[in-house]
Amino acid sequence: MDGLLSTPPPLPPHLHGDLLLSQSYLAPPSVQSNMMQRRKRKAADEDDYFDSDRHGTPDLTGTGAADDRMSASPSNSPAMSVRPTPRPTASARNKRVKSNIAGRPLAVPRLLEMLDATALRSMIRSMSERHPELNSEIMGLARPPTVDAAFDVLGRYESALREAFPYGGNTGSDYAYNRVRQPLIELLDALGDFTPHFLPPNESQMTVSLGFLDRATNMVHRLPTWTNSTHSHHKNLAYEEISKAWALVIREAAKKGAGIQLQYGGWDQTLTKHNEQSLGKMHAAINELSQSLAWMGGGNTGGGGGGGGGGAGDIASIRQQLQAGTFGAHTPVRIGPW
């Protein structure tokens, strides 16, 4: 029991160095001698290291070189090399930091996206009226109108005219005329604006001009007929203008030697039918056609009145003979000196 009680309690780890130090003083002489030799050898090594560092003499044992590598400056260590500062990428430089947000009007491209076709046309029309110098630029940027596109627009005016008629009653009465007078004038104005675009010299293709005039004449045929003859001046004036347009195209076609295309293309018969349907109001065009085709035997087509079918019938007969190869078969041929 006394032996157990005399055993000292264990020391904490941080006091073990003091215990070893204290035991070194209590070690036997031989152990103390070995410890002193190790201390002297360590001190000698340290002196050699400092001497070689001071005088530049190499360390033959290699111990100093190892200590030299261990004591090198951190600036020469590969692990501590200076790395270049990363530069911002192009996307980071181009990215804008929207720090300040304030109200501003909507941009013009976004504003135009909100407009429908009707509002956009109205805005461009207003700009052209306020700034006439923009008209040439608008005409250069706009797509040239075709015959189909033109009649799409004219068809809308004609539909507005039909919808303006009152339900029931006499469609040729004065009351109906007063209801549709404004849409009727707008349709005729639009037709008068589109027609010169498809006439020579602005339009060089004769077939395009004649195709437009054919459809335009049919539209004039569909205009309402009024009981009061004084209200019919709109339709009569339209017939007069469209007949002059036909005459212009026929005259220009004859100058270019395209009179045969008028005949073999069937335009002579088309014009004759228009003249009959208009009750002889296309006489100016019929007279121009007769003069252009006179060299082929087409005499007077009777454009002054409501007929006009006799001359056109002669022209059709001549065309049929030319196609069959019998033209002039019964004409005597003179033999001998002329």
Side-chain angles (χ1 to χ4, degrees):
M1 182 61 71
D2 295 337
L4 295 174
L5 296 175
S6 62
T7 303
L11 295 176
H14 66 279
L15 296 180
H16 286 175
D18 297 338
L19 178 60
L20 295 176
L21 184 62
S22 63
Q23 289 180 355
S24 64
Y25 292 103
L26 301 178
S30 60
V31 176
Q32 293 181 5
S33 176
N34 294 333
M35 294 176 62
M36 292 298 294
Q37 291 177 2
R38 287 196 297 271
R39 291 178 181 177
K40 290 179 180 180
R41 187 179 300 111
K42 183 177 181 182
D45 294 340
E46 292 177 355
D47 293 339
D48 293 340
Y49 169 75
F50 287 112
D51 290 339
S52 62
D53 186 37
R54 185 180 304 110
H55 301 288
T57 57
D59 187 3
L60 299 178
T61 61
T63 308
D67 293 339
D68 189 10
R69 286 194 301 270
M70 294 299 294
S71 62
S73 174
S75 62
N76 296 329
S77 175
M80 298 298 292
S81 60
V82 179
R83 298 180 180 178
T85 304
R87 297 181 178 181
T89 60
S91 60
R93 290 195 303 268
N94 296 333
K95 186 177 181 181
R96 297 180 300 174
V97 180
K98 298 180 179 180
S99 57
N100 298 328
I101 299 178
R104 63 179 184 275
L106 191 63
V108 174
R110 299 301 182 189
L111 184 61
L112 295 177
E113 290 179 354
M114 301 177 58
L115 301 178
D116 57 1
T118 304
L120 188 60
R121 284 194 295 265
S122 177
M123 183 179 65
I124 295 177
R125 186 184 302 111
S126 178
M127 291 177 60
S128 65
E129 293 175 355
R130 296 179 182 179
H131 306 281
E133 64 275 8
L134 297 177
N135 292 337
S136 58
E137 186 173 359
I138 294 175
M139 293 176 64
L141 295 175
R143 181 181 62 182
T146 61
V147 175
D148 292 336
F151 277 95
D152 287 342
V153 178
L154 294 173
R156 291 196 292 267
Y157 283 102
E158 189 176 16
S159 299
L161 173 64
R162 299 300 177 189
E163 294 174 357
F165 274 94
Y167 293 100
N170 185 8
T171 57
S173 61
D174 294 343
Y175 172 73
Y177 171 78
N178 293 329
R179 287 283 301 270
V180 303
R181 182 177 180 273
Q182 186 61 33
L184 176 62
I185 293 176
E186 293 178 356
L187 172 60
L188 294 177
D189 288 343
L191 182 61
D193 292 337
F194 276 107
T195 300
H197 177 79
F198 295 97
L199 298 180
N202 189 65
E203 178 56 58
S204 59
Q205 298 294 328
M206 183 194 68
T207 55
V208 176
S209 300
L210 294 175
F212 175 85
L213 292 177
D214 182 28
R215 298 176 64 174
T217 306
N218 288 325
M219 181 172 286
V220 176
H221 292 330
R222 294 192 297 266
L223 292 177
T225 302
W226 310 105
T227 305
N228 190 348
S229 59
T230 57
H231 300 329
S232 300
H233 67 279
H234 300 290
K235 190 172 183 178
N236 294 335
L237 183 60
Y239 274 128
E240 182 180 352
E241 296 297 329
I242 206 69
S243 180
K244 292 179 180 179
W246 276 95
L248 173 62
V249 175
I250 294 172
R251 189 181 310 114
E252 294 296 325
K255 291 179 181 179
K256 298 179 181 179
I260 195 171
Q261 296 183 11
L262 293 172
Q263 186 178 17
Y264 287 97
W267 293 108
D268 55 343
Q269 295 182 357
T270 301
L271 185 57
T272 300
K273 293 179 180 178
H274 286 315
N275 186 54
E276 293 175 355
Q277 192 171 354
S278 65
L279 301 179
K281 295 182 176 63
M282 304 285 294
H283 57 87
I286 292 295
N287 292 337
E288 190 66 38
L289 180 64
S290 300
Q291 296 176 8
S292 299
L293 301 181
W295 65 273
M296 297 190 67
N300 186 11
T301 57
D314 295 339
I315 295 174
S317 177
I318 295 173
R319 181 173 63 250
Q320 293 175 1
Q321 295 178 28
L322 288 172
Q323 292 174 351
T326 60
F327 180 75
H330 303 288
T331 303
V333 178
R334 185 176 180 180
I335 302 174
W338 297 97

